[in-house]
Amino acid sequence: MESNRELDIFLVLFVGMAGFLLLAGAVVLFFMFYQKRMLRQQLKLSEMESKHQEQLVISNLRQVEAERQRIAKDLHDEVGGIFSTLRMKISSIKPEQFSSDIQETQRVIDSGINSVRRISHDLMPPGLELFGLAASLEDLCEKNNADGLLQVVYGGPDTLNCPANMIRDLAIYRIVQELLNNTIKHAQASEVGVYLNESPKHISLTYKDNGIGFDSEKLDKIRGLGLANLQSRANQLGAQLEWTHPPKGVCVHLTVPII
Amino acid sequence: MIVVCVGLAIYKNKTLGLTFYPILGFLVTAFCVDLTAYYLAANRINNMPLLHGYTIVEYILLAWYFRIVLSGMVPRKIIQGVSFVFVGLAVANSIFLQDIFRYNTYSRTLEGLLVIWWCLSVYYKILKEMKIQRLQDAPVFWIVTGHFFYFSGALLLFVLSNSILYQNKTLYVYAWKLHAVINFLHYSFIAIGIWKATEN
């Protein structure tokens, strides 16, 4: 009887120790499997992130290439054409029509100067360095107003208090330019609002149009609208770019940290 | 096995970084205490007072190790505070509750539970940080798992040690042989951990 009791105690002890050991083993195995699973998920996420980055780089390259093609076309069609016309004019000047030919030549030269200025302004907004971001955005809005097809309203300060930063300011300017291009090309809008705000730590920009808008679920499929390029520019600034969809049109919020 | 671990730890001490000293301290203390306990037992002298002291020193060294491994997740003051409380309780236990010539089941059990808790905290930290890509190559995983297996497996023995001794001495010896097997596993894992540190 006594020996049976002792055997029971030993059995309890042995089974208990083995049980605890097995439990510890199960915990360690669970931990190992869970860690592996989390690693796989992390890897998947980083792959998606790198794929996204790759798409942004490709989009950037395409944008640069498109810009080069546009400049080449402008130079060829406008400036090249003007010089050809000028050459013809000069070779056909007659003494009896000297005065009127000179006037015509001056007109062609003026047209050439204007073309060069426009191409140069497209490459680098002229007022950005001199007058700052706020004035340049206002100017951009006024230029688009001048066409009469779209009413573009600028709301914001005349100048920003934070120190100018050409890279940041140019990127914000380009984002607004791209948004305006999208509105003109695709949105069928009649009104656009560009609102600039400044806080001690951020510059925030709100862009609204009253066009047809687009389905946010199809955002990934319409990267051709230059949206990837906008995101890429925002990423370079460490900024947040948010899209909201009011009942009509599109609303974009850009928050750029002041460094 | 302890000698192997000590040899490995000294062989490539630089790769163990800050954890080298607590690991070496733990191994050397265990080795010295084992030798002394064996000598005392061979001369029929009760070696339990040695275990009372060893429990405190072992916990302090393990807490030192876990303080380094858990840095950034558990504030060092918490580990130090728990260590002070443990040392206080263990000393009080040896003076007032359990005779130093008997097995210190209370201190040993509390130590086991605390170490199991720290081990689980290390696993949680590894999952949270996800800095370790291959667990099988991480010294911390092997060393902590060694401690985890040992203290989980031997916890019941710590609790029941005195009861078994008074029931049957033969069973008591068998139980401690079982403990020796778990302890072998313990030091084997530590040895692998130290060896992996040399590979990094």
Side-chain angles (χ1 to χ4, degrees):
Chain A
M1 194 69 181
E2 187 63 26
S3 68
N4 271 350
R5 195 164 166 262
E6 283 166 2
L7 197 67
D8 283 350
I9 291 171
F10 187 70
L11 209 64
V12 166
L13 181 72
F14 180 77
V15 172
M17 283 172 79
F20 272 113
L21 211 56
L22 281 174
L23 201 66
V27 169
V28 172
L29 276 178
F30 171 76
F31 161 70
M32 287 172 77
F33 280 124
Y34 195 72
Q35 197 257 4
K36 275 218 164 83
R37 200 174 145 187
M38 281 181 80
L39 266 180
R40 271 202 296 271
Q41 278 181 344
Q42 210 178 36
L43 195 72
K44 209 172 164 183
L45 271 175
S46 68
E47 271 173 9
M48 279 168 70
E49 180 66 24
S50 65
K51 204 173 171 185
H52 179 62
Q53 289 297 330
E54 201 178 306
Q55 279 175 345
L56 288 180
V57 170
I58 291 168
S59 156
N60 263 351
L61 289 173
R62 278 186 186 153
Q63 188 75 15
V64 168
E65 203 50 48
E67 189 68 3
R68 279 182 182 166
Q69 280 176 2
R70 191 187 64 76
I71 295 163
K73 191 171 172 289
D74 282 0
L75 284 172
H76 179 267
D77 295 356
E78 291 188 30
V79 182
I82 286 162
F83 275 113
S84 301
T85 313
L86 201 59
R87 191 177 179 281
M88 276 173 62
K89 287 273 173 204
I90 289 169
S91 62
S92 65
I93 285 175
K94 293 172 185 161
E96 61 271 21
Q97 291 176 348
F98 188 75
S99 176
S100 65
D101 282 346
I102 285 291
Q103 275 182 353
E104 182 64 18
T105 308
Q106 277 175 340
R107 195 189 58 74
V108 175
I109 289 171
D110 286 344
S111 161
I113 290 167
N114 285 334
S115 287
V116 170
R117 188 179 288 152
R118 189 187 59 75
I119 293 165
S120 154
H121 287 185
D122 280 352
L123 285 174
M124 181 72 192
L128 197 62
E129 204 166 358
L130 279 173
F131 307 112
L133 176 68
S136 297
L137 285 179
E138 196 171 357
D139 188 46
L140 180 67
C141 293
E142 275 170 17
K143 271 182 189 162
N144 279 279
N145 256 334
D147 296 344
L149 297 170
L150 196 63
Q151 191 191 346
V152 188
V153 179
Y154 170 79
D158 292 335
T159 52
L160 294 175
N161 292 322
C162 66
N165 175 330
M166 271 311 284
I167 294 171
R168 179 198 66 204
D169 294 352
L170 186 61
I172 296 173
Y173 185 89
R174 292 287 185 225
I175 286 172
V176 176
Q177 223 176 10
E178 184 70 47
L179 287 167
L180 274 166
N181 281 342
N182 281 339
T183 300
I184 292 163
K185 280 185 194 166
H186 309 283
Q188 298 166 26
S190 59
E191 286 173 19
V192 170
V194 178
Y195 307 99
L196 189 70
N197 265 306
E198 186 188 14
S199 70
K201 289 185 177 173
H202 297 97
I203 293 173
S204 62
L205 184 125
T206 304
Y207 180 95
K208 283 180 188 172
D209 74 27
N210 65 344
I212 54 171
F214 56 81
D215 191 349
S216 59
E217 287 175 6
K218 292 175 185 167
L219 199 65
D220 285 335
K221 293 179 187 170
I222 48 173
R223 295 287 176 195
L225 294 182
L227 304 187
N229 193 40
L230 294 179
Q231 188 62 58
S232 168
R233 285 193 196 277
N235 288 352
Q236 282 166 11
L237 297 174
Q240 266 192 314
L241 188 70
E242 289 167 23
W243 297 80
T244 52
H245 300 273
K248 207 175 173 203
V250 167
C251 183
V252 182
H253 296 282
L254 178 75
T255 312
V256 187
I258 298 172
I259 302 164
Chain B
M1 201 65 220
I2 300 177
V3 177
V4 172
C5 292
V6 172
L8 277 173
I10 294 169
Y11 179 57
K12 287 284 173 85
N13 63 71
K14 282 177 188 170
T15 46
L16 284 169
L18 286 173
T19 58
F20 168 70
Y21 296 104
I23 289 173
L24 187 71
F26 171 76
L27 293 170
V28 170
T29 311
F31 181 67
C32 294
V33 168
D34 276 4
L35 271 187
T36 317
Y38 182 78
Y39 174 79
L40 291 173
N43 288 286
R44 298 200 165 275
I45 302 168
N46 189 326
N47 58 14
M48 282 298 160
L50 200 63
L51 184 68
H52 282 248
Y54 174 66
T55 304
I56 294 169
V57 176
E58 184 189 48
Y59 182 78
I60 290 170
L61 290 165
L62 287 174
W64 183 10
Y65 174 75
F66 283 112
R67 200 193 75 187
I68 294 164
V69 173
L70 288 169
S71 65
M73 198 184 91
V74 180
R76 56 192 292 177
K77 279 184 180 174
I78 289 183
I79 298 180
Q80 281 170 346
V82 173
S83 300
F84 277 120
V85 173
F86 174 78
V87 171
L89 289 174
V91 170
N93 178 53
S94 300
I95 296 170
F96 304 112
L97 291 174
Q98 291 185 307
D99 186 11
I100 57 164
F101 293 103
R102 285 179 64 196
Y103 195 85
N104 56 343
T105 51
Y106 300 154
S107 310
R108 211 72 184 127
T109 305
L110 182 61
E111 184 197 10
L113 289 171
L114 285 172
V115 173
I116 289 170
W117 177 254
W118 296 134
C119 290
L120 290 172
S121 303
V122 173
Y123 291 147
Y124 177 69
K125 189 191 177 196
I126 291 172
L127 283 180
K128 200 176 161 196
E129 290 182 343
M130 293 301 288
K131 281 181 185 168
I132 297 173
Q133 298 287 317
R134 286 167 59 85
L135 277 176
Q136 61 270 35
D137 292 338
V140 67
F141 170 71
W142 287 100
I143 293 169
V144 168
T145 303
H147 292 317
F148 187 53
F149 277 158
Y150 171 72
F151 284 98
S152 303
L155 193 68
L156 208 62
L157 182 64
F158 295 159
V159 178
L160 299 174
S161 193
N162 282 335
S163 314
I164 307 165
L165 181 65
Y166 292 114
Q167 290 289 332
N168 187 316
K169 278 203 174 173
T170 319
L171 281 185
Y172 186 74
V173 172
Y174 274 124
W176 281 100
K177 278 183 180 170
L178 213 60
H179 171 265
V181 173
I182 299 171
N183 214 5
F184 180 79
L185 199 71
H186 182 199
Y187 290 115
S188 302
F189 272 69
I190 292 175
I192 295 171
I194 297 169
W195 180 251
K196 290 288 177 183
T198 62
E199 281 182 358
N200 290 336

